[in-house]
Amino acid sequence: DIQMTQSPSSVSASVGDRVTITCRASQGINIWLAWYQQKPGKAPKLLIYAASSLQSGVPSRFSGSGSGTDFTLTISSLQPEDFATYYCQQANSFPFTFGQGTKLEI
Amino acid sequence: EVQLVESGGGLVQPGGSLRLSCAASGFTFSGYWMHWVRQAPGKGLVWVSRINSDGSYTDYADSVKGRFTISRDNAKNTLYLQMNSLRAEDTAVYYCARDKDYYDSYNFFDPWGQGTLVTVSS
């Protein structure tokens, strides 16, 4: 199975900050990576797919980059509604594995 | 509006069985691969199973293989997960999720249902 490792596990930031979360795959996954946002008690929401494609309806302050084994999710200017937990997920090969999550706190 | 609504969760004893349902609306259900993903309390997301659009192909995580069965009824726009021989470690919120793209399967999940909690305990 492909292991997905996110860093950091948690990060504290303020409204207006720029934040970057990284995700590393244990083997190359080309661009088959997604990022999800999950708020407490809610289902995950797809933000980015294919490493850098913005899902419809997601604000443009979210962006993704990377290919192969190293990926990043960047939030350019944090808004109050962005405080949540973020997960990466590899879609390259079965079984489809997630990172352990990064909790973004105020 | 695209919507997925899970049901069927609850408290079950170890070794017991439960069937989860996921009712789909607002899109052509028969044209999409579907997935189940679970999340143990306070933990991360774990992919469980997937099924192709006509129900002829399925995959399972090793942790549930031989115990869980995914199926679908396209006439009823409903996805199912039959869970047998349940263990304490199966305790989780179970989400159904649609593959993002029509017909093809790129294994990006959107949207997700609200989830249903399964608790395995004596």
Side-chain angles (χ1 to χ4, degrees):
Chain A
D1 298 3
I2 297 175
Q3 273 200 306
M4 307 301 293
T5 303
Q6 290 181 231
S7 61
S9 295
S10 66
V11 57
S12 295
S14 301
V15 173
D17 285 354
R18 179 184 181 92
V19 170
T20 296
I21 298 168
T22 65
C23 179
R24 175 164 288 177
S26 60
Q27 63 190 74
I29 58 170
N30 199 344
I31 61 166
W32 298 109
L33 183 104
W35 290 97
Y36 300 87
Q37 176 193 67
Q38 186 179 33
K39 297 181 179 179
K42 300 295 186 182
K45 173 187 173 183
L46 178 66
L47 301 175
I48 301 286
Y49 64 95
S52 61
S53 295
L54 191 67
Q55 174 65 348
S56 176
V58 174
S60 59
R61 63 182 179 273
F62 291 92
S63 64
S65 65
S67 68
T69 60
D70 294 312
F71 302 86
T72 62
L73 171 70
T74 299
I75 310 172
S76 60
S77 178
L78 276 172
Q79 299 301 301
E81 61 267 29
D82 299 337
F83 293 94
T85 299
Y86 293 84
Y87 294 92
C88 62
Q89 174 240 330
Q90 66 85 13
N92 183 74
S93 62
F94 158 85
F96 311 110
T97 43
F98 292 84
Q100 81 279 14
T102 295
K103 187 173 184 179
L104 178 51
E105 301 175 295
I106 301 174
Chain B
E1 180 195 4
V2 174
Q3 197 169 14
L4 298 170
V5 179
E6 299 94 335
S7 60
L11 175 63
V12 61
Q13 291 189 338
S17 299
L18 213 54
R19 187 176 85 156
L20 306 183
S21 299
C22 170
S25 60
F27 65 99
T28 305
F29 180 70
S30 60
Y32 290 85
W33 288 61
M34 297 294 296
H35 302 258
W36 288 99
V37 178
R38 70 184 182 183
Q39 186 171 37
K43 302 297 185 181
L45 300 166
V46 177
W47 177 84
V48 172
S49 182
R50 69 172 173 173
I51 188 168
N52 72 341
S53 56
D54 67 6
S56 62
Y57 180 85
T58 59
D59 278 322
Y60 299 92
D62 284 347
S63 58
V64 307
K65 196 176 298 181
R67 301 187 299 123
F68 290 12
T69 302
I70 190 173
S71 63
R72 65 192 296 160
D73 185 336
N74 285 345
K76 294 183 177 179
N77 291 339
T78 302
L79 175 72
Y80 301 101
L81 186 67
Q82 177 68 43
M83 304 186 295
N84 299 330
S85 303
L86 282 161
R87 307 166 179 167
E89 56 264 35
D90 295 318
T91 294
V93 174
Y94 285 74
Y95 296 100
C96 64
R98 192 191 73 178
D99 216 280
K100 188 183 84 64
D101 293 294
Y102 179 77
Y103 191 72
D104 292 320
S105 176
Y106 294 108
N107 304 304
F108 300 126
F109 312 136
D110 181 73
W112 300 54
Q114 87 288 352
T116 187
L117 176 62
V118 172
T119 303
V120 184
S121 175
S122 54

